[in-house]
């Protein structure tokens, strides 16, 4: 273990007198704020709430699957539960998670800007997000929706008497929140970088959010029009997807997956950015192959638009196009692998320390690698036909999105918590939470690979008794996982009042954000910095600390 | 709404060319030029999302036209090319007025700006009125899928293909309806901009909103420039 990191810096006994939190008071000053940091905190709060709501649905689904008979929930209630779990988790948690919270908070600071380019649009996107959330909840209260999160036509347009239109509206609105966030990021990164902050001096977190923003801006409108057409088909009865009138349900799938496959990268790319920051900081090395990691984000974004059809291999697309999309799907593995290899190479001979964010980052690498490799199975035509619509799929995307994205989100929250709040959280219990989450996750989702391989279909509330042992394991794992998620809520809330004062740079990290006081001032920088070094210049940091240059505030 | 503007503004940040700041200058931008560029870039990106939005509909049109060509030919012959052409003329005129409005804002002529915005709006509303008559005609002919539809006019295609005209009309209403919705939003915004222009807000060097709204209005025009040939004209020579 290295001795470079000294935790935490307690040279100052109190939080800075003036910061973005206490600069203004009252609820209204938060609800009408234009400050990207405050909006990031609003998002953090609301996203966490929706995460636990989505988690509660997951809990019910797992409880139902504890026994082979469908005895806890009726079939249609079960359908509503997994549908709400999917919708809430994807549209209200995974898509906005890192960009809207950590991205909002740190992207302007990392590039030396005082705010995002459009603060009012930024606030508007939070309100749109909340409106989307309220509509989703109202659909639930009115009786729920049971199409699955994919709204597959004609099931969604003709055969189900549930609240598809309300939920569709919710997704449409939440989609605009996502579009505006992406748009804001792109404009900010292009136009608001501080002098000297060239593209290849930017932190990798900014690069990966930039790539995700491109996907948000180009993909989300296509989902929006697909949802509008579903709503029109349900309400007034136009027939774009209705086979009875010559419409094509596959067209819906094309439009839906044109967004929803890239959406996976909207979810995972910002998480990859977090991991790059955490790995670099806690191995005290410049990320190996910085440029390759930066470009691999953009490559994932670009390839991400050419793979949607692999969701439709078994739905009657031509063999030729299935073959092409199978190949294209595997291409995405290349930039993803570049990231994994480069993180490993960064760790090699690094001065590694195992702080909590690093534990989560290791969890990310392990779980995402498994999730990614099983993605290659599913991209292969023959395997896909055997495994699709089974629990293998469920395990695969939970490994990528929960094992990947959620681990990254938690890594990021723990990494930047001292900067956001000015306080440290208790170290031993946070490490315990990270380990609990990892164990719980493996226990929950690994059995599902086997279940899927054995042939247990997804979306059924009852199953043959042969599958029970693995299902019990999975449900037990979900309980452990739940504990792993609840712990951070408790100790992070505790730390707000009782946590040790963090000081400006508790991790001895190099990013611009760590040169500011914790929590930062409302205006970030009293004077716009001139940037003359790359984001990961540890020598520059050591030199700076030797000179004891005082930081802002 | 941007907190602590007063607190952050130090004259020394703009040491080179110290000049009077417009009230609209937001202080997280270093210069007004940067603000204007950011707004313009943001607008172009937004229009890109609009292209993707309409793109889904054009995709559907392409696909079904390929599959159900006879139904599409027959159904497109029921549209009134005359009304469509009038509307195209109206829209191009409104685009011209909008361009003049931008010019008036840039050359700081308040009264002309208000007048040209007004003319743009008159043309926009005229477009919607014509559109209303077209929709009424479709309603009268029972060509509104889902609500009031009969294949009587297309019996010569055979029942199966005649049914497919519903797809054509579904797309017709979805595409022109989405376009009209964009017009309505634009018209409401123009009224708001007229009020503000009248106060002299855009004729003191702060022209970004007018320029960007101009981009929006031209975009909506261009969508129609694609819709008119695709829906009305493409089958002109076909039987």
């Amino acid at each position: 273990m290295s001795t470079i990191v000294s935790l935490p810096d307690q040279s100052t006994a109190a939080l800075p007198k003036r910061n973005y939190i206490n600069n203004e008071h009252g609820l209204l000053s938060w609800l009408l704020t234009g400050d990207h940091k405050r909006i990031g905190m609003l998002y953090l709060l609301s996203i966490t709430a929706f995460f636990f709501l989505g988690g509660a649905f997951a809990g019910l689904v797992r409880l139902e699957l504890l026994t082979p008979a469908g005895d806890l929930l009726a079939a249609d209630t079960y359908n509503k539960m997994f549908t709400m779990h999917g919708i809430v988790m994807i549209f209200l948690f995974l898509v906005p998670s890192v960009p809207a919270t950590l991205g909002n908070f740190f992207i302007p600071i990392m590039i030396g800007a005082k705010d995002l380019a459009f603060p009012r649009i930024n606030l508007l996107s939070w309100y749109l997000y909340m409106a989307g959330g309220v509509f989703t909840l109202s659909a639930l209260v009115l009786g729920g929706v049971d199409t699955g999160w994919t709204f597959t036509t004609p099931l969604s347009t003709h055969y189900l008497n549930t609240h598809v239109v309300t939920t569709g509206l919710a997704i449409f609105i939440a989609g605009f929140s996502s579009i505006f966030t992406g748009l804001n990021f792109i404009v900010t990164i292009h136009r608001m970088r501080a002098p000297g902050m060239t593209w290849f001096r930017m932190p990798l977190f900014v690069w990966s959010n930039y790539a995700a923003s491109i996907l948000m801006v180009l993909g989300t409108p296509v989902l929006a029009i697909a949802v509008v057409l579903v709503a029109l088909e349900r309400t007034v009865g136009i027939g774009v997807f209705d086979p009875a009138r010559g419409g094509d349900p596959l067209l819906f799938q094309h439009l839906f997956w044109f967004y929803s496959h890239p959406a996976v990268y909207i979810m995972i790319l910002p998480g990859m950015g977090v991991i790059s920051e955490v790995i670099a900081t806690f191995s005290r090395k410049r990320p190996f192959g910085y440029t390759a990691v930066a470009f691999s984000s953009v490559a994932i974004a670009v390839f991400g638009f050419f793979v949607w059809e692999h969701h439709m291999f078994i739905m009657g697309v031509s063999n030729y196009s299935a073959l092409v999309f199978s190949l294209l799907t595997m291409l995405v593995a290349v930039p993803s692998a570049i990231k994994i290899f480069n993180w490993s190479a960064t760790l090699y001979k690094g001065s590694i320390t195992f702080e909590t964010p690093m534990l989560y980052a290791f969890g990310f690498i392990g779980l995402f690698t498994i999730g990614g490799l099983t993605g290659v199975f599913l991209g292969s035509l023959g395997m896909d036909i055997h495994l699709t619509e089974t629990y293998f799929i469920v395990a695969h995307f939970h490994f990528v999105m929960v094992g990947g994205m959620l681990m990254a989100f938690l890594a990021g929250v723990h990494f930047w918590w001292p900067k956001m709040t000015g306080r440290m959280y208790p170290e031993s219990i946070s490490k315990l939470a990270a380990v609990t989450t990892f164990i719980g996750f493996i226990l929950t989702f690994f059995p599902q690979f086997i279940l899927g391989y054995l042939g247990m279909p997804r979306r059924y509330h009852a199953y043959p008794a042969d599958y029970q042992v693995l299902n019990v394991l999975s449900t037990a794992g979900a309980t452990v996982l739940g504990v792993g998620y609840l712990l951070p809520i408790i100790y992070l809330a505790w730390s707000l009042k009782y946590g040790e004062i963090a000081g400006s740079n508790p991790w001895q990290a190099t990013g611009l954000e760590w040169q500011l006081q914790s929590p930062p001032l409302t205006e970030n920088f009293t004077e716009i910095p001139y940037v003359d070094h790359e984001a990961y210049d540890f020598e520059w940091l050591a030199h700076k600390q030797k000179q004891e240059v005082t930081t802002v505030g | 709404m941007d907190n602590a503007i007063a607190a952050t503004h130090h004259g020394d940040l703009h040491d080179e060319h110290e000049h009077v700041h417009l009230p609209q200058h937001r202080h997280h931008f270093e210069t007004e030029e940067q603000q204007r560029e950011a707004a313009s870039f943001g607008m172009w990106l937004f229009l890109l999302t609009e292209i993707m939005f309409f793109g889904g509909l054009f995709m559907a049109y392409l696909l079904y036209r390929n599959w159900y060509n006879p139904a599409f030919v027959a159904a497109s012959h029921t549209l009134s090319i005359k009304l469509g052409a009038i509307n195209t003329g109206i829209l191009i005129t409104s685009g011209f007025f909008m361009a003049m409005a931008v010019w008036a804002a840039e050359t700081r002529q308040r009264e002309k700006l208000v007048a040209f915005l007004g003319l743009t709006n008159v043309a926009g509303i005229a477009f919607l009125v014509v559109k209303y008559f077209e929709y009424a005609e479709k309603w009268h002919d029972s060509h509104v899928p889902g609500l009031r539809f009969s294949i009587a006019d297309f019996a010569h295609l055979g029942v199966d293909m005649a049914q497919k005209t519903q797809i054509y009309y579904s797309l017709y209403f979805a595409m022109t309806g989405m376009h009209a919705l964009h017009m309505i939003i634009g018209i409401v915004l123009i009224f708001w901009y007229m009020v503000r222009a009248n106060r002299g807000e855009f004729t003191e060097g702060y022209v970004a909103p007018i320029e960007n709204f101009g981009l929006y209005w031209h975009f909506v025009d261009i969508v129609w420039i694609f819709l008119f040939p695709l829906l009305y004209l493409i089958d002109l020579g076909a039987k």
Side-chain angles (χ1 to χ4, degrees), chain B residues 13 20 44 69 81 88 92 107 113 116 147 154 162 175 182 199 201 205 209 221 226:
Chain B
L13 288 180
V20 180
W44 279 105
N69 196 43
I81 293 180
T88 307
I92 290 173
T107 52
L113 172 61
F116 279 121
L147 299 176
F154 308 106
M175 294 167 107
H182 279 79
R199 288 190 218 134
E201 234 176 273
D221 284 4
F226 279 91

Side-chain angles (χ1 to χ4, degrees), chain A residues 18 23-24 29 32-35 38 113-120 123 172 176 179-180 182-183 186-187 190-193 216-219 221-222 224-225 228-229 232 235-249 251 255 258 305 522-523 525-528, chain B residues 1-4 7-10 12-13 26-30 33-35 37-57 59-61 63-64 67-68 144-149 160 163-167 169-171 173-174 178 196 206:
Chain A
R18 193 166 71 86
N23 195 41
E24 283 183 283
S29 76
L32 297 176
T33 186
D35 181 357
R38 284 187 160 206
K114 287 184 172 175
D115 206 323
L116 286 171
F118 310 115
R120 282 189 292 197
L123 181 66
F172 186 82
F176 268 93
I179 288 175
F180 286 140
L183 195 150
I186 293 177
V187 174
H190 270 271
R191 289 281 182 258
M192 316 258 307
R193 280 172 289 129
M216 289 186 202
V217 165
L218 292 180
V222 181
I225 191 68
V228 166
L229 288 173
L232 286 176
T235 48
V236 294
I238 71 165
V240 180
F241 304 131
D242 178 8
R245 296 168 207 217
D248 183 12
L251 177 66
L255 294 178
F258 182 81
F305 273 119
T522 295
E523 59 271 28
F525 303 94
T526 42
E527 207 168 327
I528 291 298
Chain B
M1 218 172 287
D2 297 332
N3 303 324
T8 62
H9 181 220
H10 302 298
D12 57 356
L13 288 180
R26 301 178 139 265
H27 282 255
H28 59 288
F29 289 108
E30 283 302 281
E33 190 53 31
Q34 188 190 29
Q35 177 177 1
E37 278 179 0
S40 166
F41 187 34
M43 194 64 203
W44 279 105
L45 274 179
F46 177 70
L47 294 181
L48 196 61
T49 71
E50 291 275 46
I51 290 173
M52 297 304 290
F53 186 76
F54 277 98
L57 291 168
M59 179 71 225
Y61 179 87
L63 182 74
Y64 291 128
W67 286 357
Y68 309 133
V144 185
L147 299 176
R148 186 180 156 97
F149 192 81
D160 200 36
Q163 286 286 352
K164 304 296 192 284
T165 55
Q166 286 186 72
I167 301 267
Y169 288 112
S170 294
L171 285 170
F173 280 105
M178 214 55 81
R196 288 170 66 190
Y206 172 63

Side-chain angles (χ1 to χ4, degrees), chain A residues 13 31 40 46 62 67 87 101 113 117 128 182 259 264 267 287 301 318 358 381 423 451 457 462 466 507 550:
Chain A
L31 294 179
S46 38
R62 272 324 318 166
T67 56
I87 288 172
T101 56
L128 288 173
Y259 165 81
V264 175
M267 298 172 215
S318 76
M358 192 64 155
L381 273 172
R423 289 181 184 273
L451 279 170
D466 292 351
W507 313 123
T550 49

